[in-house]
Amino acid sequence: MSRDLLPIGIALAAGILFIGIGGQVLPKILKTWMGVADPPDVLLTNALLLNIAILLFGWRRYSALTRELLVCSQAEIEARMLAESDPLTGIRNRRSLLPAVNALLAERCVGHGDVALLLVDLDNFKAINDRCGHKVGDSVLIEAAARIARVIPKDTLLARIGGDEFACALTCDRITRTGLEALANDIVGSVAQPIDAGNFRLDVTASVGIATARQPREAWPDAELLAHWADVAMYHAKRSGRDRYVWFEERMEAELCFRNALENGLRKGISSGEFVPCYLQHIDTQSGELVGFEMLAQWESPEFGIVSPELFIPLAEDLGVISELSEGLIRQALQDAKEWEEHLTLSVNISPIQLRDPWLAQKLLMLLQESGFPPHRFEIEITESCLHENVAVVRSVIASLKNQGVKISLDDFGTGYSSLAQLRALEFDRLKIDRSFVGELADGKASSELVSAIVALGRGLGLPIVVEGIENAATLSAIKKFGEVKGQGYHYGRPEDAEATLHRLLLKAAESGIAAEPAEEVPAKRSVGKSG
């Protein structure tokens, strides 16, 4: 506006002059037209015309300035809306939600009301983006936001605060705990309805964490702390199986702190070689002969001690470091297995997360090439659940490995949903019966018929059978009735590290009179090296 003060001032002065000059010139012009007076002075007439031109210029400039101010005002409003709303879904974003929640908290802090915050996170949304593309993912987010908006009360603050996270904040003066749970159920149920996006029909679920301001705490929370509580509860909903809601409890924070410490320890442990491979024997149940080993991971943490794979494997999958961890263990296991007798095989478990990688086969073949380990002695085990996530990628990985002589086992058979068509199409080399079917064999319960059916199916398809979970002599005796099957379990011994495994093999060779010299001197302690 400052640059327009001069022309506005000139136009104002011209207006004043127009009044003064026009008062003299215009009457004379009128009388001249009437033929009763002489024309006005030429200089005064020109001055009047100049004043008129300046007035027109000033008016035009004033009009342009008014339009510019209107455009700037609209732009400021739009910029504010963009800054405070999510451009994809049109609802609030985190930046605008937190001040609004703080205002609700300040209002209810002095009274007897309460504020609740529900954090909604879509389950496995990254997999949707990876499989279907970001355009389909955006459609899912838009539809999820619309569904949540339809079931929440009208005065609820709804925001998208992350990639696939939504927050609902509302006062709950007249809504009980049961009412909040009903609202969370409505949100979960609404999101769970199939979503049509492009050419895909997707089943999406959501996990919800609920927190209220009047938690058993000394201090009244701000919006950030309330959101943190809801986030902790949502995380526990995911750990509890997803597609559900969970209320925040104080103990959850202690568990979250432990998990964070475990995550940091895991990342550090991979780089410092704290993960080591151990080996579980595979035995021919009829002859009792050792036929190979399955590699199992062990974490020897200086901070946490021996950590169970049931704890750190899911954690590594969640953190996205399972491939790095697994490849480092396989690299070390291949070096260890080179010192075994030539007829012994090495089998390793592959995570479902790894099977999403289309380059997995190339990575495993490169490890085999680096180690010089024969591919025909190497076997990978995949679970039935892997077959339903991305059949095309799994088929490609299996085909690439089998072309090089690597064997493929279907692990935990009977716990998933694999069909006969998949068993034939994917050309597995053996089936492993899950331990859940084996434990009751000695008692002659119904699982015996299931195992018998699986063994018969394997023989019909030409697939050898491996039975997991042989824990005692009674179970082994029951297994032997099924004929030629391989077995593994603690009845044959616990998993052992590389040194103990090699020592066992040397003793066995000495007892059988076979001269077996190791390829190199066995060190006192083995580790998996820098790669984990």
Side-chain angles (χ1 to χ4, degrees):
M1 293 179 62
S2 60
R3 69 176 185 272
D4 292 300
L5 290 177
L6 180 60
I8 291 175
I10 294 174
L12 182 61
I16 296 173
L17 288 175
F18 175 79
I19 294 173
I21 298 174
Q24 300 180 25
V25 175
L26 290 177
K28 290 184 178 182
I29 293 177
L30 183 59
K31 290 179 180 181
T32 300
W33 287 350
M34 297 173 63
V36 296
D38 295 331
D41 184 75
V42 175
L43 290 176
L44 289 176
T45 303
N46 290 337
L48 179 63
L49 294 174
L50 180 60
N51 282 337
I52 293 173
I54 293 175
L55 284 172
L56 292 175
F57 167 76
W59 175 254
R60 290 186 61 186
R61 185 57 191 156
Y62 173 78
S63 299
L65 180 60
T66 302
R67 288 194 298 272
E68 288 179 10
L69 289 175
L70 180 60
V71 170
C72 289
S73 178
Q74 292 175 341
E76 288 178 0
I77 294 173
E78 292 178 2
R80 189 178 300 109
M81 290 180 60
L82 290 174
E84 296 180 353
S85 64
D86 174 51
L88 179 64
T89 60
I91 60 178
R92 291 174 179 265
N93 59 14
R94 186 182 186 90
R95 176 182 296 178
S96 64
L97 176 70
L98 294 180
V101 174
N102 276 325
L104 289 179
L105 290 168
E107 180 182 340
R108 293 304 187 275
C109 180
V110 296
H112 299 288
D114 201 354
V115 177
L117 194 145
L118 287 74
L119 193 65
V120 184
D121 187 273
L122 303 185
D123 299 324
N124 298 320
F125 180 73
K126 184 178 182 300
I128 294 176
N129 266 341
D130 292 342
R131 292 200 309 264
C132 308
H134 290 278
K135 185 175 180 179
V136 171
D138 289 346
S139 299
V140 170
L141 292 173
I142 294 171
E143 179 62 22
R147 292 183 180 186
I148 295 172
R150 285 195 291 267
V151 300
I152 59 178
K154 291 183 178 180
D155 57 348
T156 302
L157 300 174
L158 175 61
R160 179 186 174 208
I161 60 174
D164 59 341
E165 287 185 340
F166 301 89
C168 308
L170 67 158
T171 57
C172 43
D173 304 346
R174 289 171 292 179
I175 301 179
T176 63
R177 181 184 178 97
T178 303
L180 286 174
E181 291 176 351
L183 176 59
N185 265 328
D186 289 342
I187 292 173
V188 170
S190 176
V191 173
Q193 298 298 318
I195 296 178
D196 293 319
N199 297 323
F200 299 91
R201 187 173 179 83
L202 303 169
D203 292 319
V204 182
T205 60
S207 299
V208 180
I210 310 174
T212 59
R214 297 193 182 277
Q215 299 282 346
R217 293 295 185 97
E218 295 180 0
W220 185 260
D222 60 7
E224 287 280 3
L225 181 56
L226 187 61
H228 169 69
W229 290 348
D231 186 62
V232 171
M234 182 273 296
Y235 165 75
H236 277 264
K238 285 190 175 293
R239 288 197 63 189
S240 300
R242 301 183 172 91
D243 193 24
R244 66 193 64 204
Y245 68 85
V246 167
W247 280 89
F248 170 75
E249 298 177 9
E250 286 191 85
R251 63 172 179 80
M252 295 178 179
E253 282 199 289
E255 295 176 9
L256 185 62
C257 289
F258 174 72
R259 177 185 170 91
N260 291 336
L262 204 62
E263 288 179 359
N264 294 332
L266 188 146
R267 293 183 186 276
K268 186 188 302 181
I270 292 177
S271 60
S272 59
E274 296 173 9
F275 291 88
V276 296
C278 291
Y279 304 99
L280 184 66
Q281 299 178 71
H282 280 185
I283 303 294
D284 186 318
T285 58
Q286 297 298 319
S287 65
E289 289 296 318
L290 177 67
V291 295
F293 293 92
E294 177 183 351
M295 184 204 77
L296 302 175
Q298 180 172 290
W299 182 10
E300 301 174 354
S301 170
E303 182 178 0
F304 304 104
I306 302 297
V307 183
S308 169
E310 295 179 356
L311 183 60
F312 70 77
I313 293 296
L315 184 61
E317 291 177 338
D318 291 343
L319 295 177
V321 297
I322 187 64
S323 294
E324 181 183 359
L325 172 61
S326 176
E327 289 168 19
L329 288 167
I330 293 173
R331 178 180 287 107
Q332 182 61 51
L334 291 172
Q335 293 296 330
D336 294 338
K338 287 172 63 177
E339 302 179 14
W340 303 344
E341 297 175 30
E342 293 184 356
H343 71 282
L344 298 178
T345 60
L346 170 68
S347 63
V348 299
N349 292 281
I350 298 298
S351 164
I353 305 298
Q354 291 177 268
L355 275 172
R356 297 174 186 170
D357 181 5
W359 297 100
L360 174 63
Q362 286 71 20
K363 292 177 180 178
L364 293 175
L365 293 174
M366 185 176 297
L367 291 175
L368 285 169
Q369 184 179 10
E370 289 177 0
S371 65
F373 190 77
H376 69 273
R377 293 175 54 196
F378 186 58
E379 183 175 307
I380 69 167
E381 300 179 5
I382 63 176
T383 60
E384 278 190 288
S385 60
C386 300
L387 304 183
H388 306 282
E389 294 190 3
N390 196 334
V391 177
V393 173
V394 173
R395 182 181 290 113
S396 174
V397 169
I398 290 177
S400 298
L401 292 172
K402 286 182 67 67
N403 287 339
Q404 300 301 317
V406 177
K407 302 294 189 300
I408 312 294
S409 291
L410 183 58
D411 198 8
D412 297 338
F413 184 73
T415 61
Y417 306 95
S418 57
S419 64
L420 293 178
Q422 286 175 325
L423 292 180
R424 293 179 62 88
L426 296 177
E427 298 183 356
F428 291 100
D429 293 291
R430 74 178 74 247
L431 299 179
K432 293 190 71 174
I433 301 177
D434 186 70
R435 65 178 62 249
S436 60
F437 299 113
V438 177
E440 299 176 346
L441 284 179
D443 300 327
K445 296 186 178 180
S447 58
S448 175
E449 297 180 1
L450 290 174
V451 174
S452 178
I454 295 174
V455 171
L457 174 64
R459 286 175 179 160
L461 295 173
L463 298 176
I465 301 294
V466 177
V467 178
E468 299 179 326
I470 301 177
E471 308 295 335
N472 50 56
T475 303
L476 175 60
S477 177
I479 290 293
K480 286 183 176 181
K481 297 177 182 178
F482 297 112
E484 296 183 2
V485 298
K486 304 293 190 297
Q488 65 182 68
Y490 289 168
H491 175 68
Y492 297 110
R494 298 270 176 174
E496 298 173 327
D497 61 17
E499 183 179 358
T501 299
L502 185 58
H503 181 68
R504 172 188 293 275
L505 294 176
L506 292 174
L507 285 178
K508 180 177 178 296
E511 291 173 358
S512 61
I514 301 175
E517 294 295 333
E520 59 184 24
E521 184 180 352
V522 180
K525 179 69 176 177
R526 291 187 178 274
S527 67
V528 296
K530 187 174 181 58
S531 64

